[in-house]
Amino acid sequence: MAKFSNQFLSYYDAFPKGEAEKNMVFLPIWIWRIWAPAAGKTTNINVFQKTLLELLHIGRQDRQELANWIGVDVELIHLIIDTELEPNGWIKYDHDKKITLTIDGMQILENEIDRSEDLQAYYLVQDAITGKLWDRLIPNDLALIDVNEINSNIYIQGSRDSGNSISVFLVEPREIKDPPVPTHYKITQAIKNHNMAMRGTLVRDQDEKVKYVDGNNLKNYQFHSQKPEACFILSHLEESLDSSHICQLQDPCHVSKYDEWIQNLHFDLAMQHQGFSKKIKRYLKQDISNDETIDEFEARLLEEISFELSVDFPFSERIENLSQHLKRLLTRKKNLEDKGNYYDIDDLLSQCQKALEACFKHMLCQWKHKHANTTPKQLNREQMRTVLMLQVGEYFSEDLLEKIKTVNSSHVFSANGYSAGRFPQVGVSLKPLIVSNLLCMAEYQQHPLILRKQYQKDLQQLIEICERRNQGSHDSGEEVDISTALNLSEFTLDWISFYTAIEA
């Protein structure tokens, strides 16, 4: 069969290491050149505020989903909505607690983009397997990379430090024929979807070099008669950030880790390319001779996880966001058990923390603070230690309380206010949620934190999850081994099973 192309593109700033090197793929694409006006710089609001206003305006309400779309922690979403958008009078809550934009919010959104008539060159990307336009545009600075072909296998040079050659799986089209010219409607839809994903990149990275197309000037793009270019673009298989899939392709254009297009790209390709389907099955450690398709396999595994949820966590749906966190936790745990991949440890601990945060927020609503000003907003560590000793010293050892005196007191203050109903949301991490619950525990004889006989050990494990997660998030020099991570995940599941049973 004739070769599809000898042009190989990469948008990696640095090549992935470890497990990702084994799962790299070249995807075949056609590229079409267009010219379109780039959006100018923001004027009255920053890119975080603008992106959230746009998403809220189109009905996106779930704050965790907003955080996933933009690629930031949900705490930042809470902060922007509750301390910037609402106080500025740009949003309001209706009687169903749904957020809508005010007249001022709509006006500032309409006036924000400074239109530029300077046309920028971009490439539309058309999938050579499915024939669909990708929801991505590539700026006119294509980066070609050298490849070596040895015995029909494709290799690229790894990082400068390693000097190793990396074998890359080539997804070659079965048929090579010129694709149909994209229609106006498909081009404008691709631009709109690209913009939505690109704004998340601007929020995360504040990269002034990245420009998206002026959404208010879509009709002004120019597309001239041309022949498309055939290329391969580099990507790799990785764990999915979406609980509806087990794996995903890394975004070849480096725009977004979380949107519908990138979450489903591997599935769309596997449906029409048997070789790539087998590649995914090998990645998932599924028998490649099995007739089960990728979507059937993912559905089966997710069904097994859902069954496990229904048996061990029958009341998890009563706690906001808990089920989705548990699905991801169980998926990551199974993956770490099966593959023993060190790179999955941090993500597993992150899912443990998120699932526990959902429970501890719920606990603050069920066992409310009767006196929200138990602690002032500003306390040093020794003052926090004294407050904890006075409140729960009869239940927990001094050594345990010593470990959590480092908590941010202003975050504890926010959690206290959330429990008392003063704030509609709270955007703090697990440790302040634990401390806030401890500070109101003495008011309830049947509080969950002292309901189990092993409550001292429970608190010790909870603190360790906070500390281990912090080690994984920073360059601490301390590594968490696989055994420790799995033990902490087992404790997390056991404790959540206990807590959700209280809701029965």
Side-chain angles (χ1 to χ4, degrees):
M1 184 181 73
K3 291 290 184 182
F4 174 71
S5 174
N6 60 358
Q7 293 191 95
F8 296 85
L9 312 178
S10 170
Y11 278 82
Y12 285 100
D13 295 327
F15 285 104
K17 298 178 181 179
E19 192 70 21
E21 288 186 350
K22 303 175 185 177
N23 298 298
M24 300 187 76
V25 296
F26 271 124
L27 306 177
I29 57 173
W30 297 97
I31 53 176
W32 304 80
R33 183 173 291 183
I34 67 167
W35 286 262
K41 293 184 179 179
T42 58
T43 52
N44 297 322
I45 59 176
N46 63 43
V47 68
F48 290 86
Q49 297 165 340
K50 176 179 180 294
T51 301
L52 280 176
L53 283 177
E54 289 176 327
L55 290 169
L56 291 168
H57 181 50
I58 63 172
R60 300 286 182 180
Q61 296 285 317
D62 184 90
R63 297 191 183 201
Q64 184 62 57
E65 183 184 44
L66 292 172
N68 291 338
W69 268 81
I70 296 174
V72 298
D73 289 335
V74 71
E75 286 82 0
L76 182 59
I77 302 299
H78 293 319
L79 182 68
I80 296 172
I81 291 177
D82 297 333
T83 67
E84 297 176 10
L85 300 188
E86 187 179 18
N88 285 338
W90 297 337
I91 63 170
K92 62 183 178 180
Y93 293 89
D94 61 20
H95 62 280
D96 294 325
K97 295 187 177 181
K98 181 180 179 181
I99 297 176
T100 58
L101 269 61
T102 63
I103 294 176
D104 288 344
M106 291 293 297
Q107 189 65 47
I108 200 166
L109 195 57
E110 290 173 2
N111 295 338
E112 193 276 331
I113 294 182
D114 178 19
R115 296 183 185 180
S116 171
E117 294 301 327
D118 294 333
L119 297 181
Q120 307 288 326
Y122 298 91
Y123 285 103
L124 290 168
V125 184
Q126 189 168 9
D127 198 307
I129 299 296
T130 67
K132 298 177 182 177
L133 276 187
W134 282 5
D135 290 347
R136 299 290 187 268
L137 273 74
I138 301 176
N140 187 27
D141 54 359
L142 301 179
L144 295 174
I145 59 175
D146 294 327
V147 304
N148 293 318
E149 184 173 354
I150 304 174
N151 298 325
S152 300
N153 294 321
I154 297 294
Y155 295 88
I156 61 173
Q157 191 67 30
S159 64
R160 293 179 181 177
D161 294 337
S162 69
N164 296 329
S165 291
I166 302 171
S167 176
V168 184
F169 183 82
L170 194 67
V171 183
E172 276 202 280
R174 287 180 304 227
E175 297 180 337
I176 303 175
K177 57 183 180 180
D178 289 345
V181 178
T183 64
H184 168 72
Y185 173 78
K186 289 182 177 179
I187 292 174
T188 55
Q189 286 300 113
I191 292 173
K192 288 178 181 178
N193 293 332
H194 167 83
N195 282 348
M196 184 65 71
M198 182 59 73
R199 285 165 188 161
T201 296
L202 291 172
V203 169
R204 291 192 305 273
D205 302 330
Q206 293 286 297
D207 188 350
E208 295 182 358
K209 296 179 181 178
V210 175
K211 290 185 178 181
Y212 55 91
V213 178
D214 187 344
N216 291 334
N217 249 338
L218 287 177
K219 64 181 182 297
N220 291 337
Y221 78 83
Q222 295 180 13
F223 181 84
H224 304 297
S225 178
Q226 61 189 281
K227 282 245 182 213
E229 294 183 57
C231 305
F232 287 100
I233 191 166
L234 192 63
S235 181
H236 70 262
L237 288 165
E238 61 185 4
E239 286 293 311
S240 176
L241 298 177
D242 176 22
S243 60
S244 64
H245 290 298
I246 307 303
C247 69
Q248 68 175 66
L249 280 165
Q250 191 257 13
D251 185 349
C253 303
H254 283 245
V255 172
S256 175
K257 293 183 178 180
Y258 186 94
D259 65 14
E260 186 176 355
W261 174 79
I262 192 58
Q263 295 296 331
N264 288 291
L265 180 59
H266 74 290
F267 173 71
D268 291 341
L269 292 172
M271 287 282 288
Q272 298 190 37
H273 195 283
Q274 187 177 11
F276 183 61
S277 177
K278 291 180 178 180
K279 171 69 176 176
I280 295 178
K281 290 179 180 181
R282 285 194 294 269
Y283 171 78
L284 296 172
K285 291 197 171 180
Q286 183 191 11
D287 184 358
I288 63 172
S289 65
N290 197 321
D291 292 333
E292 195 172 36
T293 63
I294 298 302
D295 60 319
E296 289 170 341
F297 170 74
E298 288 193 332
R300 176 172 58 79
L301 184 54
L302 290 169
E303 186 177 349
E304 291 173 3
I305 291 172
S306 296
F307 177 76
E308 191 170 340
L309 280 179
S310 65
V311 173
D312 295 335
F313 312 96
F315 304 101
S316 61
E317 293 290 346
R318 300 183 184 180
I319 299 174
E320 186 177 6
N321 296 325
L322 179 58
S323 290
Q324 69 182 47
H325 292 319
L326 283 174
K327 285 181 181 178
R328 292 172 183 169
L329 194 165
L330 289 167
T331 301
R332 303 307 193 260
K333 180 173 177 288
K334 289 178 185 296
N335 191 63
L336 187 59
E337 289 171 335
D338 292 342
K339 298 181 180 180
N341 184 2
Y342 171 81
Y343 298 96
D344 291 322
I345 290 176
D346 183 52
D347 193 38
L348 176 61
L349 293 178
S350 176
Q351 296 303 330
C352 288
Q353 183 158 336
K354 289 178 180 179
L356 289 167
E357 284 172 3
C359 292
F360 275 80
K361 286 180 183 178
H362 180 267
M363 197 186 305
L364 285 174
C365 295
Q366 300 301 112
W367 288 267
K368 293 181 179 291
H369 269 271
K370 297 179 180 178
H371 307 286
N373 294 320
T374 304
T375 60
K377 195 169 185 179
Q378 299 298 328
L379 285 178
N380 62 35
R381 293 182 177 182
E382 289 308 311
Q383 289 170 331
M384 178 60 74
R385 176 184 173 279
T386 300
V387 170
L388 286 166
M389 287 298 298
L390 290 172
Q391 291 289 92
V392 294
E394 63 179 295
Y395 297 100
F396 299 100
S397 70
E398 188 172 346
D399 289 344
L400 280 178
L401 300 182
E402 183 77 18
K403 290 183 177 181
I404 56 175
K405 72 178 184 181
T406 59
V407 70
N408 187 317
S409 63
S410 65
H411 291 178
V412 176
F413 182 83
S414 297
N416 293 349
Y418 170 72
S419 177
R422 287 173 19 197
F423 308 130
Q425 296 287 341
V426 63
V428 300
S429 58
L430 181 57
K431 185 181 284 188
L433 292 173
I434 293 171
V435 172
S436 181
N437 276 285
L438 288 173
L439 293 178
C440 72
M441 190 189 74
E443 300 176 15
Y444 302 97
Q445 292 183 350
Q446 297 296 310
H447 195 280
L449 285 177
I450 52 174
L451 205 55
R452 299 215 299 182
K453 291 182 180 180
Q454 68 267 33
Y455 61 81
Q456 286 259 14
K457 186 177 180 181
D458 284 351
L459 183 59
Q460 181 180 357
Q461 295 280 80
L462 290 166
I463 293 171
E464 185 174 0
I465 288 172
C466 296
E467 292 176 346
R468 296 289 190 177
R469 174 67 183 127
N470 289 336
Q471 290 171 8
S473 300
H474 303 93
D475 186 16
S476 64
E478 298 183 43
E479 295 183 352
V480 183
D481 58 47
I482 291 176
S483 176
T484 299
L486 290 174
N487 287 338
L488 290 175
S489 68
E490 288 286 359
F491 161 77
T492 299
L493 295 171
D494 176 65
W495 191 90
I496 292 175
S497 180
F498 147 74
Y499 180 70
T500 54
I502 299 175
E503 288 295 289

